[in-house]
Amino acid sequence: MERGRVIEIIEAYGGSPAAWPEDERAAAERLAMSDSALIAMMNDARSVDRLLRDWACELVPASDADADAAADRALAEAYRSGAPRRWWMRAAFGGAIAASLAIGGVLLSRPDAVPGPAPVAQPKVQVALGDLSGEDAQAAHDMLVWGNVFTPTPEEEMVL
């Protein structure tokens, strides 16, 4: 192990050998302990490590105006930068409303869903294939009506 590599390790990983790369730790520690300049460098790095640890653990009071201003600036910057927003919550809420309206519309538009007397006569529908009556006429009528209201996309067709 060269002295230059030990200096790189101390600068990158700090003054504690426990934080150094495991495969180089033993050799670097032996060389560092035999050189007084490297020992001094390790002590300086340990004091920087302590300062950083203490700074990271320091609590900021909630009433501190500087902290409030910093939080406001961070939020404004996040908004300006187009940071990910919770768009999916709005989409889910809108989808739930749309689904509720669609289900309500289907239930209320079907004659068999509304209580009351049964229809007297089945509608007769003129189509390109000829005259239809009974269940075929009702099916053709439903296809014409619902085809104009809801036309699924190819992706929706796969789901249906």
Side-chain angles (χ1 to χ4, degrees), residues 41-123:
M41 188 176 192
M42 287 174 57
N43 289 334
D44 290 342
R46 283 189 192 113
S47 65
V48 171
D49 292 344
R50 270 192 299 279
L51 287 173
L52 289 172
R53 184 188 63 237
D54 293 344
W55 173 78
C57 295
E58 185 177 314
L59 296 177
V60 177
S63 62
D64 188 355
D66 291 336
D68 290 342
D72 289 341
R73 283 191 306 273
L75 287 173
E77 179 59 33
Y79 184 75
R80 277 194 304 273
S81 70
R85 295 180 188 89
R86 295 192 178 166
W87 59 268
W88 55 270
M89 292 175 76
R90 282 184 246 143
F93 184 70
I97 290 175
S100 299
L101 291 174
I103 290 171
V106 168
L107 291 177
L108 294 177
S109 68
R110 306 249 331 157
D112 57 342
V114 179
V120 176
Q122 294 288 335

